[in-house]
Amino acid sequence: MRRTLPIAVVAGVGFFMLIQYFIPLEEFETLYEWALDWTMVIGCFAMALGLYSLTNMMVTKVRRKAEGWGYSLVALVGLFVMVFVGLVPHYQDSLKYGTLFMDIFEYIYIPIQAAMFSLLAFYIASAAYRAFRARTVLATILLVSAIIIMLRLIPLGPLSAINQWMVNFILTVPNMAAKRAFWLGVGLGATATALKIMLGIERGYMGRD
Amino acid sequence: MKKKRVFSSKVLLIPFLVIPLLFLGFCVSSAQEEGETEVLEETLAQAPSPPTEVEASDTPNDNGHSITVTWKLSADDGAGRNNVVSYEVLRSDSPDGEFEVRGLAPAGENTFEDKGAKEKEDANYLPPHKDFYYKVRARGDGLFSDSEVSLPAHASGQWYHTGKTPVVVAVIAFSTFALIFITLARKGKKLYVRPLAGIEAVDEAIGRATEMGKPILYILGLGSADMIATIASFTILSRVAKKVADYQTQILIPCCDPIVMAVAQETVRAAYLESGRPDQYKEENIYYLTSMQFAYVAGVNGIMLREKPATNFYLGKFYAESLLLAETGSLAGSIQISGTDEIAQIPFFVAATDYTLIGEELYAASAYLGKEPILLGTLKGQDWSKAVVMIALILGALAATFNFQFFLNLFAVQL
């Protein structure tokens, strides 16, 4: 029963979601929206679970003075400060501009996030250096294509027209062909995975084969 | 002195000459304007001819809250006096009742979909199975003329969306292929699947972590538990966790979604149980970090630099964080295996990790790892479906080239 019931639930819900796509009736639409609401409700309850997990892990690290416990302490303080300023002083208006909650979010969190994102530029440079080393024929083709694509942003005088033609060719012919093949494979793969799950062939996601 | 007097007398003459000329010019121009206005008024003074043959019918393939109205264009729309500006569609629940405006259609348009809301509380609610009458008003410049009232029509929902028939056919064909090969596999037919370097490296990667005495870091991506890439990652995690349990290594799984965390905990717990080592399972190694993208990156990168995992798995849904994670892992000296169905992140993973599962390979990985005939059967079914799609693509290209519209219409999907 412990094995059969979850599979039956997954199969039932899976087949319902499949057939409702083809039935435009209002009742089916309502059921679909209801199912989506349920995922949101479960998500909200799961957030409490996540909060418990995070707090538990951080507190354990701080208590044991594990390596980098100071970061855990900062994370814990940050977590509880945000909960406090979000709920206690003006819990109804905390998402309005000018409140302490929004000030911390805008002037501390967003700049930190932007700094993290800006690292991407440097990481792209280092990854590109590795990827574009012309060690094999394929890597050389990649390198040449990348140079052509990058040059489109630079004025090259009379060569610009030729470069633009090559850029258009690369993007609309080999690149687009590869992208379409990728999407086709992903579409079929996703359908196959859904079918395997609905038929109970694939049960790894439930923690058992 | 004499000179000055002559000049003054000339100046005095100017108004006598200019004023009559201006008056004459004004009379001529007003006469012209009056003539033009008369011609214009002659055209506009008449309302445009009314639209004819107004028909209302239930909108097909909908949820039962919409009626489609069609009409024959006014004789003055694009022809005749050519003074139709727009059409107003009016609705009433009785042919003699008060008609209310439901919407506008520009000149030249002869169809209007009267789409109502499905909520009864909504002012725009259009009840199903209730008869409505329509008429269409051709609007000119301030003048209009109404069509005859249409026959009654009511909205009703349909049990099947005919515009999605090609999708039904494709799903049935694909499922048939998959089921045929699953049956063949069950009967013991050996199925060959092309080896994937990324999958074959899994054992080696786990073995390396065991030898080094360092943990394995498994990242399920930023996707939620209902995404197919995340589900595929769970199935791979199940098999990886079983091997980790066999080798008695540690696996760390920081999650960015609490539901993903709960499922991952259950998956790994069951894998340890199946390996006969439930005591070695540590729930605290699978934890929630944060749902914010770059905060998650910061957290995971910190783990990579502190714990120095021997192997990193990035399998699931990834966005801009893919390279930030993979480059840090590369700097930390870990073996890295990645896989995602996000096309924009594939180049980053290819550049920064040792092995990459591209798109559908991610979905196929669990079948490769499990080597179960039934799972391999679905892979074969996929391959055959791809062959059919390729043939259809070639035929479609030929049909488009030679304008065989009938063949192309077979694939048209209406959403």
Side-chain angles (χ1 to χ4, degrees), chain B residues 51 71 73-74 77 84 86-89 103-109 136-138:
Chain B
W71 59 91
L73 295 180
S74 156
D77 185 353
V84 175
S86 62
Y87 294 100
E88 264 177 9
V89 179
L104 278 173
E109 197 79 33
V136 181
R137 177 173 289 167

Side-chain angles (χ1 to χ4, degrees), chain A residues 21-26 29 33 46 50 53-54 57 109 117 123 126 130 179 188 197 201-202 207 209, chain B residues 63 65 118 158-159 161 164 231 242 258 261 270 287-288 292 294 324 327 343 363 366 374 382 386:
Chain A
Y21 178 75
F22 301 105
I23 303 172
L25 277 182
E26 188 185 342
E29 264 182 19
E33 284 161 13
S53 161
L54 181 71
M57 195 248 310
Y109 177 73
F117 190 34
Y123 281 175
S126 67
R130 276 205 306 277
K179 271 186 178 177
L188 287 172
I197 289 168
I201 295 169
E202 181 69 81
D209 286 329
Chain B
N63 59 3
H65 295 281
K118 63 177 182 179
Q158 277 74 48
W159 272 94
H161 194 303
K164 290 178 180 173
I231 294 171
K242 211 179 288 173
M261 177 199 75
Y287 49 87
Y288 171 74
M292 308 303 278
F294 292 106
L324 294 172
E327 269 297 284
I343 195 163
Y363 307 140
S366 71
I374 298 171
Q382 245 172 280
K386 264 189 253 173

Side-chain angles (χ1 to χ4, degrees), chain B residues 329-368:
Chain B
S330 178
L331 292 171
S334 314
I335 276 197
Q336 305 201 96
I337 298 173
S338 59
T340 185
D341 57 2
E342 269 298 311
I343 195 163
Q345 308 309 321
I346 297 282
F348 292 142
F349 274 148
V350 170
T353 63
D354 300 286
Y355 303 97
T356 305
L357 301 175
I358 299 171
E360 61 176 319
E361 291 175 356
L362 173 68
Y363 307 140
S366 71
Y368 272 92

Side-chain angles (χ1 to χ4, degrees), chain A residues 113-175:
Chain A
Q113 182 172 255
M116 201 69 212
F117 190 34
S118 61
L119 285 177
L120 196 59
F122 301 100
Y123 281 175
I124 285 175
S126 67
Y129 171 73
R130 276 205 306 277
F132 295 161
R133 269 183 297 181
R135 286 175 301 186
T136 60
V137 177
L138 288 175
T140 313
I141 293 171
L142 187 68
L143 173 67
V144 172
S145 306
I147 289 170
I148 293 168
I149 301 281
M150 284 190 285
L151 283 178
R152 76 180 159 156
L153 299 172
I154 299 166
L156 295 172
L159 290 177
S160 282
I162 303 166
N163 186 61
Q164 197 55 48
W165 180 86
M166 287 195 287
V167 167
N168 282 343
F169 174 78
I170 291 168
L171 292 180
T172 54
V173 182
N175 183 54

Side-chain angles (χ1 to χ4, degrees), chain A residues 2-3 18-30 33 36 39 42-58 60-61 64 67-69 71-72 105 109 112-114 116-128 130-131 142 175 178-197 199 201-209, chain B residues 61-65 118 128 157-161 164 167-168 171 174-175 178-179 182 186 226 228 231-232 234-235 238-239 242 258-259 261-263 265-268 270-271 274 284 286-295 297-298 301 306-307 320 323-325 327-328 330-331 340-343 346 348 351-352 358-360 363-364 366-367 372 374-375 378-379 382 385-386 389-390 393 413 415:
Chain A
R2 280 190 65 193
R3 200 180 168 91
L18 177 67
I19 60 161
Q20 70 80 30
Y21 178 75
F22 301 105
I23 303 172
L25 277 182
E26 188 185 342
E27 291 76 9
F28 280 75
E29 264 182 19
T30 310
E33 284 161 13
L36 293 187
T39 59
I42 293 169
C44 289
F45 278 104
M47 191 48 86
L49 201 68
L51 205 61
Y52 168 75
S53 161
L54 181 71
T55 315
N56 190 33
M57 195 248 310
M58 298 291 180
T60 311
K61 269 193 168 182
R64 287 182 190 164
E67 192 191 347
W69 66 273
Y71 301 118
S72 300
F105 183 76
Y109 177 73
I112 291 172
Q113 182 172 255
M116 201 69 212
F117 190 34
S118 61
L119 285 177
L120 196 59
F122 301 100
Y123 281 175
I124 285 175
S126 67
R130 276 205 306 277
L142 187 68
N175 183 54
K179 271 186 178 177
R180 284 180 179 162
F182 177 90
W183 287 323
L184 189 66
V186 164
L188 287 172
T191 315
T193 307
L195 195 69
K196 281 188 278 186
I197 289 168
L199 293 175
I201 295 169
E202 181 69 81
R203 295 186 294 269
Y205 68 96
M206 283 196 285
R208 49 183 76 88
D209 286 329
Chain B
N61 302 323
D62 77 329
N63 59 3
H65 295 281
K118 63 177 182 179
Q158 277 74 48
W159 272 94
Y160 174 64
H161 194 303
K164 290 178 180 173
V167 183
V168 176
V171 169
F174 178 75
S175 307
L179 291 174
I182 288 169
R186 273 188 173 146
D226 59 340
I228 205 88
I231 294 171
F234 285 138
T235 63
S238 167
R239 315 221 183 254
K242 211 179 288 173
I259 301 178
M261 177 199 75
V263 178
Q265 283 176 344
E266 184 57 30
T267 304
V268 176
E274 213 164 297
E284 64 269 22
I286 305 159
Y287 49 87
Y288 171 74
L289 214 52
T290 168
S291 300
M292 308 303 278
Q293 186 180 26
F294 292 106
V297 173
N301 284 0
R306 282 193 300 275
E307 307 281 343
L323 189 63
L324 294 172
L325 295 171
E327 269 297 284
T328 309
S330 178
L331 292 171
T340 185
D341 57 2
E342 269 298 311
I343 195 163
I346 297 282
F348 292 142
I358 299 171
E360 61 176 319
Y363 307 140
S366 71
E372 287 167 32
I374 298 171
L375 291 174
T378 54
L379 285 188
Q382 245 172 280
S385 302
K386 264 189 253 173
V389 171
M390 275 188 243
L393 279 174
V413 176
L415 296 171

Side-chain angles (χ1 to χ4, degrees), chain B residues 28-60:
Chain B
V28 170
S29 74
S30 13
Q32 270 178 350
E33 271 174 24
E34 269 172 29
E36 279 170 14
T37 315
E38 273 167 25
V39 173
L40 204 65
E41 273 174 3
E42 250 174 51
T43 316
L44 292 178
Q46 288 179 316
S49 307
T52 51
E53 297 174 29
V54 176
E55 284 176 15
S57 58
D58 174 38
T59 304

